[in-house]
Amino acid sequence: MGFDASWLLLGLPLAFVFGWLASRLDQRQWRDDGRRAPKAYFKGLNYLLNEQQDQAIDAFIEAVQSDPDTTELHFALGNLFRRRGEYNRAVRVHEHLLSRDDLSRTDRERAQHGLALDYLKAGLLDRAEDALRRLEGTPLETQARLALLTIYERSHDWTQATAIAERMQQSQQGDFSTRHAHYLCEQAQTQATQGDFEAARGLLIQAIAIAPGAARARLELARLQLHQGEPAAALATLQDIAGTAAAALPLAAGLFVESANACGQQESTRALLQEHYQRTPSLDLLDAIIALLPGNGTRDDGATQHWYAGYLDKEASLVVAAKWLSHETLTHEERHPAIQRALDQAAKPLTRYRCAACGFEALQHFWQCPGCQSWDSYPPRRVEEL
């Protein structure tokens, strides 16, 4: 039986028609999918801009299901889950991205960084540390090291924090000299608590060399010198603060009084404090000056009242008014204690320190805020003076 060429002539057009129809169907399906994915994406973006995170997540999940290979939507989902505190879901999204073989190097590094942040927010510090260390030598190295600093600060691992700060300083990833000095001061406090005062002194001297303009290391060194019976050396260290970090003098006021009394240099120390007080009045400096007056500011001392009155002439201070009243003899003496208690109670909140970053208030000055963990966010002045 011979081959009939007419079938070939008939089959070729039919094959062409069927192929054309199939391609049109594929194109229509592709267009429909393309329309659905951007629509879901923009819907999610609109929800996100209106701070409707639940609806945004649902829309992004719909978009990801339409196109599972869309990495940007995965990143958006992971970030949304983390912001909502759904850390397990955020981890799964970033682990899914890392498991893909077709992921680019840049996206893989982004996914690794996102996974580290998930662990960090969830409080899984050991996993976060491991994930962040894998970003060494990548464009995200700076962000990873900053996150590592956060981990070491939260765990009070000051040795590791110091090492990271040194590396970032050497790599010119920012100026970390002041923070480095804080880490050394933290280590010095630990050494002093353990009784190793020489090691503590060495760390503080190193901190002064690293950040000469920072006040903390000199304050800690003066406190250590005073504790070891070296009031003259402590006073000299405190006097250096007047030249390098004069704004921090209110924090040193109490140490000035203690050191000056211990080595008999009340008059010269009072003159130094008065010089700075004239330029920048301060409640703590005022108390130190009065404490160094002859007679130590007793109740009947007119000089004490003079200083309090002088401050009140310049500033309407409830704190100073309460102190002035404590040295004043009233006509109705029997009412004095009640009035004094009322004023002291009203003035007490005004003697606190307030974090400039988050507003956290405390009775004592902190170098690192217990609330927001910011360094040097507490001004050296009381709430009433701000």
Side-chain angles (χ1 to χ4, degrees), residues 116-326:
L117 294 182
D118 298 339
Y119 287 140
L120 182 60
K121 291 291 186 179
L124 302 173
L125 301 186
D126 53 342
R127 295 187 182 184
E129 180 182 1
D130 179 65
L132 290 168
R133 287 201 173 277
R134 296 184 184 184
L135 292 170
E136 286 287 328
T138 71
L140 294 172
E141 181 182 72
T142 301
Q143 293 93 315
R145 286 179 171 177
L146 287 172
L148 281 172
L149 281 181
T150 300
I151 291 174
Y152 296 139
E153 288 177 5
R154 285 172 61 178
S155 59
H156 290 184
D157 190 345
W158 305 116
T159 303
Q160 290 274 33
T162 299
I164 293 292
E166 286 178 344
R167 263 183 273 168
M168 296 192 76
Q169 188 78 25
Q170 292 168 0
S171 302
Q172 297 182 341
Q173 293 173 325
D175 184 6
F176 290 86
S177 56
T178 302
R179 192 181 287 197
H180 187 182
H182 279 303
Y183 297 155
L184 292 172
C185 289
E186 294 288 346
Q187 294 179 65
Q189 285 186 341
T190 302
Q191 295 294 336
T193 302
Q194 295 172 354
D196 193 346
F197 298 111
E198 286 306 311
R201 188 187 294 256
L203 288 167
L204 292 173
I205 292 173
Q206 184 183 350
I208 292 172
I210 289 171
R216 183 184 181 182
R218 286 189 170 88
L219 281 169
E220 299 290 349
L221 180 59
R223 189 173 287 112
L224 180 62
Q225 291 167 332
L226 197 58
H227 175 76
Q228 293 189 289
E230 306 172 25
L235 192 57
T237 301
L238 293 170
Q239 289 169 349
D240 289 339
I241 296 176
T244 59
L249 275 181
L251 299 177
L255 287 173
F256 265 113
V257 173
E258 194 174 349
S259 302
N261 286 333
C263 62
Q265 297 190 37
Q266 293 92 335
E267 186 175 347
S268 60
T269 301
R270 188 176 70 250
L272 173 66
L273 296 180
Q274 285 180 207
E275 179 185 347
H276 287 275
Y277 177 83
Q278 294 301 325
R279 291 198 294 267
T280 310
S282 160
L283 293 175
D284 292 292
L285 289 181
L286 177 62
D287 286 341
I289 291 168
I290 290 173
L292 291 171
L293 289 171
N296 294 322
T298 59
R299 180 180 175 85
D300 298 326
D301 185 7
T304 299
Q305 293 296 77
H306 169 76
W307 278 98
Y308 285 145
Y311 190 95
L312 289 171
D313 287 340
K314 298 177 182 178
E315 303 287 342
S317 170
L318 185 60
V319 175
V320 174
K323 292 180 178 181
W324 175 87
L325 182 63
S326 68

Side-chain angles (χ1 to χ4, degrees), residues 182 186 216 251 353-355 360-371 374-380:
H182 279 303
E186 294 288 346
R216 183 184 181 182
L251 299 177
Y353 295 96
R354 180 188 295 153
C355 174
F360 187 91
E361 292 187 3
L363 292 176
Q364 70 179 84
H365 179 274
F366 287 100
W367 298 103
Q368 185 183 28
C369 176
S374 299
W375 288 99
D376 293 316
S377 58
Y378 274 86

Side-chain angles (χ1 to χ4, degrees), residues 92-103 108 111:
R92 286 200 298 271
V93 169
H94 290 120
E95 285 182 338
H96 170 71
L97 284 170
L98 289 171
S99 68
R100 287 173 47 178
D101 295 330
D102 62 336
L103 203 65
R108 188 170 297 278

Side-chain angles (χ1 to χ4, degrees), residues 299 320-328 330 336 339-340 343:
R299 180 180 175 85
V320 174
K323 292 180 178 181
W324 175 87
L325 182 63
S326 68
H327 289 266
E328 182 67 19
L330 299 180
H336 191 171
I339 297 173
Q340 186 67 54
L343 276 174

